[in-house]
Amino acid sequence: TNWYDQSSNSNTARQTTAANQPKIYDGTTGVVTKNGKAGIVGVSSSSRLSISSLMSLTDFSISMVYEEKRYNLMTWGHDSSYYNYHTGGGGRVNGMLNWTSNIAIGDQGHYFLNRASSSAELHMNGSSLATAIYGNTYYFQDLFNAHNNTFGYTAPIQEFVIWQSDQSANRTGIETNINTFYNIY
């Protein structure tokens, strides 16, 4: 029902419709895991966790640990304009930047997106994959399905953090801490 905000910002993501709730526990196999660590997984294209108020992002960073899924699925964003799109070997932050990576379907990845002063950069598993100039505001409200309940993400997401500030100076330390815990690369 809730993915609790760990900060004081009260941006807990919710899904009140039981049939659309992502799961952390599967009654058949137990806790959802990837590489031995718990995760949460969307169950259908209607799975979505949403925060109550749309977040307007200017300078921001997003860190996400997830399992790569096939193309045409969205993990985060808002409506049909602002979303993170997966291709099973790359992806795009719609309207902002595109990338190609060697992460394959089923691989676990650590994604770190930073946007500061109109300059965006994406790192995957500690390596820079794409840069772009993007001066507009970006928006966030939804996890697992960021494209009007059409392209729901149905693979584990283990960590998702948004900072509403530039974290490029802290990126290496964040990546090291996450990789030490998840042992991704």
Side-chain angles (χ1 to χ4, degrees):
T1 303
N2 296 314
W3 191 336
Y4 291 99
D5 184 350
Q6 301 293 310
S7 74
S8 60
N9 295 325
S10 301
N11 284 323
T12 294
R14 293 185 168 82
Q15 174 55 262
T16 58
T17 303
N20 296 338
Q21 292 170 348
K23 64 182 177 181
I24 192 167
Y25 180 80
D26 179 338
T28 305
T29 59
V31 174
V32 172
T33 63
K34 179 68 180 176
N35 292 338
K37 304 288 186 187
I40 186 170
V41 65
V43 296
S44 73
S45 63
S46 296
S47 291
R48 176 188 295 211
L49 290 169
S50 299
I51 61 174
S52 60
S53 297
L54 183 66
M55 289 176 71
S56 298
L57 303 173
T58 51
D59 287 357
F60 67 95
S61 295
I62 293 177
S63 176
M64 176 173 65
V65 175
Y66 70 102
E67 177 186 314
E68 184 61 64
K69 191 70 171 166
R70 70 172 177 83
Y71 67 93
N72 210 28
L73 298 177
M74 285 62 167
T75 46
W76 65 267
H78 174 67
D79 72 36
S80 60
S81 298
Y82 306 96
Y83 54 83
N84 187 70
Y85 174 91
H86 294 262
T87 65
R92 77 174 181 255
V93 178
N94 192 50
M96 185 183 297
L97 54 80
N98 299 311
W99 68 92
T100 302
S101 72
N102 61 0
I103 188 167
I105 294 171
D107 284 354
Q108 185 181 35
H110 177 233
Y111 163 115
F112 191 93
L113 172 66
N114 195 78
R115 205 305 281 284
S117 302
S118 300
S119 179
E121 183 172 16
L122 176 83
H123 284 79
M124 180 69 69
N125 294 344
S127 297
S128 178
L129 288 185
T131 59
I133 301 300
Y134 186 83
N136 299 327
T137 300
Y138 217 77
Y139 297 95
F140 170 81
Q141 192 165 25
D142 304 304
L143 281 171
F144 291 106
N145 194 337
H147 199 285
N148 299 335
N149 280 340
T150 307
F151 303 103
Y153 205 73
T154 55
I157 296 176
Q158 295 171 295
E159 186 162 319
F160 187 84
V161 181
I162 296 177
W163 293 267
Q164 289 185 279
S165 61
D166 172 12
Q167 294 297 311
S168 58
N170 301 319
R171 179 189 54 80
T172 302
I174 292 167
E175 288 173 331
T176 299
N177 288 343
I178 286 173
N179 193 48
T180 297
F181 183 76
Y182 290 102
N183 196 26
I184 301 168
Y185 55 97

